[in-house]
Amino acid sequence: MYKEETSFLHTRHTSRMSLILACLLIGIQAWAQTAVTGKVTDPQDEPLIGATVIVKGTQTGVSTDFDGNYSIKAAQGQTLVVSYVGYKTKEVPVKGSTVNVVLNDDQTILDEVVVVGYGSMQRKDVTGSITTVNAKDLNVGAYTDPGQLLQGKVPGLVVVQNSDPNGGVNSLTLRGASTLNGGSSPLYVVDGIPGVDLNLVSPGDIESIDVLRDASATAIYGSKAANGVIIVTTKRGNEGPAKVTYSAYAAWERIANDHKMMSADQLRKYAADNGVELPNDMGANTNWQKEVQRTGFAHNHNLSISGGNKSTSYMASLNYIARDGIIKGVGNNLFTGRAYVETKTLKDRLTLAVGINGNVRNEWGVLRNKDNAESVYQQMYSYSPLVPVKNEDGSWYSSGSNISQNYNPLSMIYEDRSRATLKRYQVTGKASLKIIEGLLLNANFSYEAKSWHYRDYYSSKSQIKGKRNGETSQNMTEDYGKLMEIYGNYDKTFGKSHKLGLMAGYSWEEHENGDGFGARGYNFYDDYLGWNDIGMANSWDPDPVWGNLKSTTRMISFYGRANYSYDSKYLLQAAVRRDGASVFGTNNKWATFPSASVAWRISQEDFLRGWEPLTDLKLRVGWGQSGNSTGFDIYTSRFFYENKETNGMRNRFTYVDAQGNEHSYKLISAGRNVNKDLKWETTTMLNIGIDFALFNGRLNGTIEYYNKDTKDMIWDYYVSTLKYPVNKMTANVGKMLNRGVELTINAVPVQTRDWNWTTSINLSHNKNKVVSVTNTEFNECDLNQYDPNMPGLSQGCTTQRIVEGKPIGSFYLWEWAGYDDKGVSTFYERDVETGDYIIDENGNRKTTQQPGEKDRIYAGNAQPKLTMGWDNKITWKNWDLNLFFTGVFGQKIFNEPRAFYSYVGAISQGRNCLESVIKEQNYNDGLAHYPSTRYLENGSYFKLSTATLGYTFRNCFNGWLSDLRLYVSANNVFTITKYKGRDPEINLGGIAPGHDTRWDHYPRCRQILVGVNVNF
């Protein structure tokens, strides 16, 4: 008993002593956390206003006042973390009650590494026009085309989005059109390998994208670079333990804005009011848009692992995306894999790397043919709401032969199917040997293969080819590409001020394109097999098998570059490339592309060093030439024979041999004229730029002016068959001019301990002009472009012309003059010689209801006067908000759907019209739909392209999750525009931009996306 009491008393005594000791420690700690004061200044002893001071490892933090002073509670021995935009973050231990901190300039912007052709350099030493977009700044969305990531991010780069799962971008043009042959896409360089198919790269694997915009930067790629160069750098492994990341999203989308067509009741009333007999009123009330459309859904998963040690690093990733579009029967899935390993040997003097990329893409779609209205995109608007989807027996409703070119859109979706499978893979090898200090010998190798397999099937229930009792066709094509490059880089700094860089190299590449064949058969026992066994067809056309013409092209190049920098103040660069290609004429296999640029960092001069707000000021001037060899093959300049088609059938002749037996042979004829003088299109560009940074980089930007001339543009010209075997000749004739101004401003308006707002805006203005399309030998004058195939126009009527002195995309239309006394549309007549109005005897402008080619006038163009991108990132603690706006201003759009669906004659033919016809159209007006100025509209718009809200959890689950970010994003949120169509964001590329087409234009969608990013 005594022992138990003693033990009990001892325990109580110990507990009391522990409690007293704990209270003393808490009191000491509280007493130790006294107020620490101080001042934060720059190296010139100027106060830094709004600098952040945080006690390391805690949530305690304050900001400095207008004099740079702060006051914070901290214990002796703790560490203060002091940061400010434009300055290097500093950690300072607490020793005493006063801690003053001096922050040094952070030259991150100037020291940023920029990837250039066959090398890299610091931003401060760049003399050309190069824009870098890091992974965190790329667009967010359910994208399958990496080009979509850049919309609005680069001044001068006009990217038009497309909601079609199989469509990618509508157009991508840098600093205006510079060719007539349609090859306007920039050259893509992935991890130093030029010409790579960008679809081989998953968006989640991209580290950064550098866009080379002027010829002084792009000329090192010579004949491939006239349309600009986009260099993609993918993610790599780093030294350390394995890092696993996983990202995923799910996205839903609906059409953002749709055409308002007449309902069945409205159609019946309009017909009754105008005394029109409806040929197909079945008593139904069908909304074909709702029948064809659905809620689109997409999901994406990306898993990667990376790591390494001092000698070897690795990176591997898998990506899967599946997407079903808002149009039933349209969608795809894509599986992409990538692996990259890099190792060093020979005492780190030799670096070897091997990479493999590959993907398989399956696409399925619906009919979208312009001919004979075989397009779901057209029929879902024009098909009559008075008829049902199906008949009482369950078969698809059909108007039969009563109404021509009229097909049930649901029938086309389910009975006229197609599928395409695209397989790509690429193997790369790299080697870099350090010969002496500063001298590297590099070698790149690449082998790329691509196969395309297309198949379609028209069932026995098809309204398009139902009489064929099931028809299928298949087409297979394979392309190959091989590349070898060897180049050396020598970089040396002499003393402290002189920096020299030299590069020289050799390149060889070969491409085999178009190797493949196709076949077609029909008349199957049933629809069960579909396209899976074409050999079961019981009937074949006279030419059931066809071949694709294989083309093998080769290019050899020699190139070099020299850079010199004096104290990063005076900068000079010169480059030259010599290309030889097999695709051009025997007299012009080789071409040389030089460039030179200089830069002066004025801020380094003594007379500006005393101006405190100025961080950097650099003047750049560059000149260079680059070429365009895209869009041509080995047969472009050579004579060859071909077997032509008539009405889809190969031309044949019958040969009778000596025994009297008849044999059928394909008739061959001359396919192309020889042009030994055919050569590259050459683009010459002068670029003047000013880079500036103020307030230690908190405000920075670029101003650019460029003059871009293209000569020797290639086009097919008519020639006399008395002189040549074929009536067309491919020749270098045309000239084109682009001039523009670009402005980029980046700013950090707000930065506190909890709040941060960064904003970036870029504005671009480009003026395009076709200088000439003729010379003394080849004369085309006006080149008509794009026929919308309006009903009632047997001769057709194009909407644009390529005209000397006017820009690409110039609209030439009939000028609508209003209505006559019977309510029928009239159009102004023009004098065939002068183009002026014809004046009648009463002094009035003469009008006609049968306008001709002479009556078309220049009505505007599709080239925008201004494009913009405005990015805003706002963070508060662990929350982040991104608002990204785009805008295009000053362009014209031909509203083809509004014209086509305003044809009132369609009602008596059993089709539908726009709801606006009820108030705007007189039924007697059978000319209202004519392609005239009435349907040329202002296409300017301002759009909230993306809004993203996210929250990041850090050090989750006891630290085994580094961070976890959840976010929700909305795309195509709203659009401010006067355009009357569905969406003003339409194709701005090619030689006929600005058309809102009806038969192939996939509706623009609004998308909601929920995603997660996890770093283990």
Side-chain angles (χ1 to χ4, degrees):
M1 188 71 176
Y2 173 77
K3 290 182 179 180
E4 291 177 0
E5 290 179 356
T6 303
S7 176
F8 173 73
L9 292 172
H10 176 74
T11 302
R12 291 182 62 190
H13 177 73
T14 302
S15 299
R16 289 176 179 175
M17 290 299 295
S18 299
L19 181 59
I20 293 170
L21 181 60
C23 291
L24 288 172
L25 289 174
I26 293 172
I28 292 171
Q29 187 178 23
W31 172 80
Q33 285 186 334
T34 58
V36 177
T37 61
K39 188 174 185 178
V40 181
T41 62
D42 64 11
Q44 286 75 41
D45 200 32
E46 291 295 323
L48 296 178
I49 304 169
T52 302
V53 182
I54 298 176
V55 179
K56 189 175 182 179
T58 73
Q59 295 294 319
T60 304
V62 296
S63 298
T64 58
D65 60 19
F66 286 97
D67 297 318
N69 297 320
Y70 73 91
S71 178
I72 193 170
K73 286 188 176 182
Q76 298 295 308
Q78 288 186 297
T79 301
L80 301 181
V81 181
V82 186
S83 60
Y84 189 71
V85 175
Y87 293 82
K88 293 181 180 179
T89 300
K90 180 177 288 188
E91 296 187 2
V92 183
V94 176
K95 295 180 181 179
S97 59
T98 302
V99 179
N100 294 321
V101 182
V102 178
L103 294 183
N104 295 316
D105 293 350
D106 184 2
Q107 300 295 323
T108 302
I109 297 176
L110 301 180
D111 294 337
E112 176 188 29
V113 175
V114 178
V115 179
V116 297
Y118 306 102
S120 60
M121 59 180 61
Q122 291 181 311
R123 172 72 64 182
K124 62 184 178 183
D125 293 331
V126 170
T127 57
S129 181
I130 303 176
T131 298
T132 300
V133 184
N134 294 312
K136 62 183 179 62
D137 298 320
L138 296 172
N139 291 326
V140 177
Y143 300 138
T144 54
D145 185 337
Q148 296 170 298
L149 304 173
L150 290 173
Q151 185 186 35
K153 300 296 183 180
V154 180
L157 183 67
V158 180
V159 180
V160 178
Q161 294 280 20
N162 189 338
S163 295
D164 187 348
N166 303 322
V169 296
N170 265 339
S171 60
L172 191 153
T173 307
L174 182 62
R175 290 187 167 180
S178 56
T179 182
L180 296 179
N181 67 27
S184 60
S185 295
L187 169 70
Y188 292 104
V189 180
V190 179
D191 292 332
I193 306 296
V196 174
D197 187 338
L198 198 57
N199 289 292
L200 274 169
V201 182
S202 168
D205 289 338
I206 295 176
E207 181 69 30
S208 65
I209 299 178
D210 293 274
V211 181
L212 281 56
R213 294 150 55 205
D214 75 325
S216 69
T218 63
I220 196 64
Y221 288 106
S223 62
K224 310 172 189 177
N227 300 312
V229 178
I230 296 179
I231 300 178
V232 178
T233 302
T234 60
K235 295 176 181 178
R236 304 291 173 82
N238 297 309
E239 182 180 349
K243 179 181 179 182
V244 179
T245 63
Y246 171 75
S247 62
Y249 64 72
W252 297 263
E253 59 187 13
R254 293 290 295 174
I255 189 169
N257 184 36
D258 211 352
H259 296 310
K260 293 180 175 57
M261 309 302 292
M262 285 193 201
S263 67
D265 291 339
Q266 289 174 321
L267 186 58
R268 290 186 181 102
K269 185 178 186 305
Y270 184 81
D273 292 344
N274 291 277
V276 180
E277 182 179 351
L278 296 170
N280 57 347
D281 191 348
M282 306 296 293
N285 189 355
T286 305
N287 187 324
W288 290 102
Q289 290 150 273
K290 288 186 178 180
E291 294 291 341
V292 169
Q293 297 170 13
R294 63 186 174 187
T295 298
F297 178 72
H299 61 102
N300 177 80
H301 307 270
N302 194 90
L303 178 67
S304 67
I305 180 171
S306 62
N309 53 36
K310 291 184 179 179
S311 61
T312 302
S313 63
Y314 61 89
M315 165 71 179
S317 69
L318 296 174
N319 179 261
Y320 177 78
I321 181 172
R323 188 174 177 186
D324 290 320
I326 66 163
I327 303 297
K328 294 176 181 177
V330 177
N332 65 42
N333 59 50
L334 174 66
F335 181 82
T336 302
R338 174 178 176 266
Y340 187 87
V341 179
E342 183 176 282
T343 187
K344 295 181 179 180
T345 185
L346 298 181
K347 296 182 179 181
D348 294 343
R349 300 184 73 87
L350 176 62
T351 301
L352 299 173
V354 176
I356 183 169
N357 306 314
N359 65 25
V360 178
R361 180 185 180 110
N362 294 297
E363 300 179 354
W364 45 94
V366 297
L367 286 175
R368 56 198 301 175
N369 302 326
K370 186 175 183 180
D371 296 334
N372 301 319
E374 295 175 4
S375 169
V376 171
Y377 299 125
Q378 177 174 317
Q379 295 293 344
M380 71 176 179
Y381 297 113
S382 64
Y383 210 66
S384 175
L386 307 177
V387 301
V389 175
K390 289 187 175 182
N391 299 311
E392 292 182 359
D393 61 0
S395 61
W396 299 108
Y397 174 83
S398 172
S399 60
S401 59
N402 296 331
I403 306 173
S404 65
Q405 300 185 14
N406 195 49
Y407 309 107
N408 186 323
L410 267 294
S411 169
M412 285 195 285
I413 289 174
Y414 292 104
E415 307 300 340
D416 308 314
R417 300 174 289 121
S418 66
R419 180 166 180 162
T421 299
L422 182 61
K423 298 179 181 179
R424 311 178 185 91
Y425 73 87
Q426 179 196 36
V427 179
T428 62
K430 293 187 174 187
S432 181
L433 177 63
K434 182 179 178 181
I435 299 176
I436 59 174
E437 189 65 33
L439 179 59
L440 290 176
L441 180 62
N442 307 283
N444 292 338
F445 305 91
S446 172
Y447 179 83
E448 185 175 350
K450 178 168 61 176
S451 65
W452 184 74
H453 182 193
Y454 173 83
R455 53 270 200 206
D456 58 30
Y457 185 75
Y458 297 83
S459 81
S460 59
K461 301 174 184 178
S462 169
Q463 296 182 7
I464 307 293
K465 297 184 178 181
K467 295 180 180 179
R468 305 270 280 184
N469 200 28
E471 176 181 329
T472 185
S473 68
Q474 297 201 30
N475 195 3
M476 301 182 193
T477 306
E478 292 182 329
D479 298 334
Y480 302 95
K482 291 172 277 189
L483 171 73
M484 178 189 70
E485 293 186 315
I486 300 175
Y487 61 96
N489 293 94
Y490 178 71
D491 295 285
K492 183 71 173 178
T493 300
F494 300 92
K496 295 182 179 180
S497 302
H498 302 276
K499 187 186 298 183
L500 178 66
L502 300 174
M503 186 276 295
Y506 164 82
S507 175
W508 173 91
E509 60 183 295
E510 179 181 270
H511 296 277
E512 295 181 6
N513 299 314
D515 185 14
F517 64 93
R520 178 183 290 109
Y522 65 97
N523 193 13
F524 289 83
Y525 290 107
D526 54 39
D527 295 317
Y528 183 77
L529 288 175
W531 55 57
N532 292 307
D533 190 353
I534 193 173
M536 289 297 293
N538 291 294
S539 301
W540 307 85
D541 289 328
D543 290 301
V545 179
W546 61 89
N548 298 324
L549 189 60
K550 178 181 175 182
S551 172
T552 301
T553 60
R554 296 183 182 89
M555 180 176 288
I556 298 174
S557 306
F558 302 90
Y559 47 87
R561 180 178 58 222
N563 303 290
Y564 171 73
S565 168
Y566 173 72
D567 199 25
S568 293
K569 183 194 301 185
Y570 307 115
L571 309 165
L572 172 65
Q573 175 179 295
V576 64
R577 182 167 179 131
R578 177 78 170 163
D579 282 337
S582 60
V583 297
F584 294 108
T586 54
N587 296 336
N588 287 295
K589 294 291 187 185
W590 291 86
T592 302
F593 304 98
S595 71
S597 56
V598 295
W600 175 27
R601 287 188 65 206
I602 308 172
S603 55
Q604 293 293 90
E605 299 291 352
D606 292 338
F607 61 82
L608 278 180
R609 285 185 176 178
W611 191 36
E612 296 173 0
L614 183 65
T615 304
D616 186 58
L617 180 64
K618 180 166 67 174
L619 173 65
R620 296 178 282 103
V621 179
W623 175 91
Q625 289 186 332
S626 51
N628 179 32
S629 61
T630 59
F632 313 113
D633 60 29
I634 193 66
Y635 305 105
T636 304
S637 63
R638 296 186 179 186
F639 179 82
F640 64 88
Y641 291 98
E642 65 179 356
N643 176 232
K644 296 182 180 180
E645 291 186 5
T646 301
N647 297 323
M649 304 296 290
R650 297 284 182 178
N651 294 328
R652 289 178 172 270
F653 70 96
T654 301
Y655 168 71
V656 181
D657 61 19
Q659 288 74 36
N661 300 315
E662 293 186 353
H663 304 273
S664 177
Y665 286 90
K666 291 183 178 179
L667 180 67
I668 60 173
S669 57
R672 186 178 293 272
N673 293 315
V674 177
N675 186 354
K676 296 181 179 180
D677 296 321
L678 191 70
K679 58 184 176 181
W680 276 280
E681 299 177 336
T682 302
T683 296
T684 303
M685 189 186 303
L686 172 68
N687 192 91
I688 302 173
I690 298 176
D691 303 329
F692 62 89
L694 302 170
F695 311 114
N696 295 291
R698 194 160 177 171
L699 176 66
N700 64 83
T702 299
I703 303 172
E704 306 268 358
Y705 166 79
Y706 60 88
N707 188 90
K708 177 180 173 184
D709 289 293
T710 302
K711 66 176 183 178
D712 299 324
M713 288 194 304
I714 295 176
W715 189 258
D716 287 339
Y717 291 86
Y718 285 102
V719 292
S720 172
T721 52
L722 297 176
K723 184 177 180 181
Y724 298 98
V726 184
N727 67 345
K728 277 192 175 183
M729 169 80 81
T730 304
N732 300 95
V733 177
K735 297 180 180 179
M736 193 183 299
L737 173 67
N738 287 276
R739 290 177 180 168
V741 178
E742 300 164 349
L743 171 66
T744 302
I745 297 178
N746 309 301
V748 185
V750 176
Q751 187 188 46
T752 66
R753 182 173 66 91
D754 294 329
W755 286 95
N756 190 72
W757 172 30
T758 61
T759 184
S760 175
I761 187 170
N762 66 79
L763 303 169
S764 306
H765 165 72
N766 180 78
K767 186 175 182 180
N768 172 269
K769 183 174 74 172
V770 177
V771 178
S772 67
V773 290
T774 64
N775 61 16
T776 54
E777 184 177 1
F778 302 101
N779 190 335
E780 282 291 316
C781 296
D782 300 335
L783 309 177
N784 288 323
Q785 300 295 313
Y786 192 77
D787 186 347
N789 284 0
M790 291 295 169
L793 289 169
S794 58
Q795 300 298 321
C797 180
T798 57
T799 55
Q800 286 187 354
R801 290 174 182 166
I802 298 175
V803 180
E804 293 182 354
K806 298 292 185 181
I808 291 289
S810 292
F811 289 101
Y812 279 80
L813 301 166
W814 293 319
E815 186 178 7
W816 190 62
Y819 302 103
D820 63 9
D821 53 4
K822 296 181 180 180
V824 179
S825 290
T826 61
F827 308 89
Y828 288 116
E829 284 194 69
R830 297 278 177 164
D831 185 271
V832 68
E833 298 292 335
T834 65
D836 295 332
Y837 291 109
I838 296 178
I839 306 301
D840 62 19
E841 61 276 6
N842 298 320
N844 299 318
R845 295 174 181 175
K846 193 173 181 180
T847 61
T848 180
Q849 293 179 354
Q850 295 180 337
E853 186 72 11
K854 70 178 182 62
D855 299 313
R856 293 167 63 193
I857 63 165
Y858 174 72
N861 69 81
Q863 300 281 349
K865 293 184 173 71
L866 182 69
T867 60
M868 67 158 289
W870 181 26
D871 198 15
N872 295 271
K873 291 183 174 64
I874 302 170
T875 60
W876 178 70
K877 295 184 178 179
N878 289 347
W879 290 92
D880 61 89
L881 173 67
N882 177 247
L883 299 174
F884 178 57
F885 301 87
T886 57
V888 179
F889 309 97
Q891 79 278 22
K892 295 291 186 180
I893 296 176
F894 180 71
N895 193 338
E896 179 185 318
R898 181 170 161 243
F900 185 83
Y901 300 127
S902 292
Y903 175 50
V904 291
I907 296 175
S908 63
Q909 297 172 1
R911 297 188 180 90
N912 202 5
C913 288
L914 287 169
E915 185 182 82
S916 59
V917 166
I918 298 173
K919 295 182 179 180
E920 297 179 3
Q921 295 298 117
N922 186 322
Y923 183 75
N924 296 324
D925 188 4
L927 311 179
H929 63 290
Y930 276 23
S932 68
T933 55
R934 183 178 186 179
Y935 302 108
L936 190 65
E937 301 180 22
N938 182 355
S940 300
Y941 68 87
F942 178 74
K943 178 176 292 193
L944 176 55
S945 291
T946 308
T948 304
L949 177 65
Y951 185 85
T952 302
F953 299 89
R954 306 189 187 280
N955 296 317
C956 310
F957 304 104
N958 295 323
W960 65 271
L961 274 185
S962 175
D963 59 69
L964 183 152
R965 180 173 180 263
L966 301 174
Y967 65 94
V968 59
S969 181
N971 288 328
N972 196 24
V973 182
F974 66 78
T975 303
I976 300 174
T977 183
K978 293 182 179 180
Y979 180 60
K980 296 179 181 179
R982 290 179 298 187
D983 194 288
E985 188 175 353
I986 64 168
N987 181 26
L988 292 175
I991 57 175
H995 289 95
D996 188 353
T997 57
R998 70 179 186 277
W999 54 275
D1000 68 338
H1001 190 179
Y1002 193 92
R1004 195 76 167 89
C1005 301
R1006 181 170 294 115
Q1007 185 183 89
I1008 300 295
L1009 182 148
V1010 178
V1012 59
N1013 297 327
V1014 184
N1015 291 316
F1016 295 91

